[in-house]
Amino acid sequence: MSTKIAVLCSGGGTNLQALIDAVEAGTIDGEIVRVIANASKAFALERARRHGIPALFISKKQAGCDAAFNDQILEELQKAGAQLVVLAGYLPLVGAQIVRAYEHRIINIHPALIPAFCGPGMYGHHVHEAVLRYGAKVSGATTHFVDEQVDHGGIILQKSVPVLEGDTPDTLAARVLTVEHEILPESVRLFCAGKLGVDGRRVHVL
């Protein structure tokens, strides 16, 4: 029986598209049952609708507070019967109530090699700017399970890319995004195939 997947997004949704493509190609034994965005103009919502996936915007401002906002998201996840939650370029912190309800069932993609260049404030171009400022020679992307700390849960997959002379945050971001589109669908494929085992901080590919 295929896994029911919900995807949370904040922006353009290229990682969402990579997941949709993998599901439609039969690579992932799962079904994307809901896409939720915290930004009304997130193109991810349009991507979902083009593929017939129920998509909705949930406003933190209208919810009134973080707790109510996360309660609304959790309610939607449960209504959709989601068994796995994927954060695909999702910027808000995931509420503790969601983390507890979906322990070891929330996968995030981060545009750096955790534990480097991660944690509060390290998202999007801030990450690539920090990598270049530091003078790192490699960067990359990491998928990990989500816990109640930022970018902290057990690492599933990592893939590196070189940092090249003359790189800008844009050129580095584009190179990292290419590997994000590889390791996020692969991590979801492994989860849906029952091939990820968690032992404390260690995630084993079975």
Side-chain angles (χ1 to χ4, degrees), residues 175-187:
R175 198 174 308 117
V176 171
L177 193 59
T178 301
V179 300
E180 288 183 46
H181 293 167
E182 295 170 18
I183 68 170
L184 184 59
E186 175 62 7
S187 299

Side-chain angles (χ1 to χ4, degrees), residues 27-107:
T27 310
I28 292 173
D29 183 16
E31 175 194 2
I32 300 175
V33 293
R34 194 73 92 248
V35 170
I36 300 171
N38 69 304
S40 60
K41 294 180 180 175
F43 191 65
L45 294 170
E46 178 60 25
R47 289 182 191 272
R49 291 177 187 127
R50 287 177 184 179
H51 291 267
I53 300 166
L56 71 154
F57 158 58
I58 296 180
S59 165
K60 185 183 282 192
K61 189 176 179 183
Q62 287 178 359
C65 67
D66 281 356
F69 171 67
N70 282 288
D71 282 344
Q72 284 184 29
I73 291 172
L74 180 56
E75 187 180 334
E76 279 298 330
L77 295 175
Q78 292 173 333
K79 199 189 300 180
Q83 297 161 298
L84 170 68
V85 180
V86 181
L87 311 183
Y90 182 69
L91 299 181
L93 295 180
V94 177
Q97 63 269 57
I98 299 174
V99 174
R100 289 168 193 155
Y102 284 90
E103 186 179 14
H104 300 142
R105 293 190 295 147
I106 306 174
I107 294 174

Side-chain angles (χ1 to χ4, degrees), residues 131-132 135-139 161-169 171-172 175:
V131 168
L132 293 174
K137 300 298 184 186
V138 293
S139 190
V161 301
V163 178
L164 303 178
E165 286 294 328
D167 258 339
T168 65
T171 58
L172 180 56
R175 198 174 308 117

Side-chain angles (χ1 to χ4, degrees), residues 3 29 188-196:
T3 303
D29 183 16
V188 172
R189 183 192 74 78
L190 290 168
F191 180 94
C192 294
K195 293 194 172 181
L196 294 179

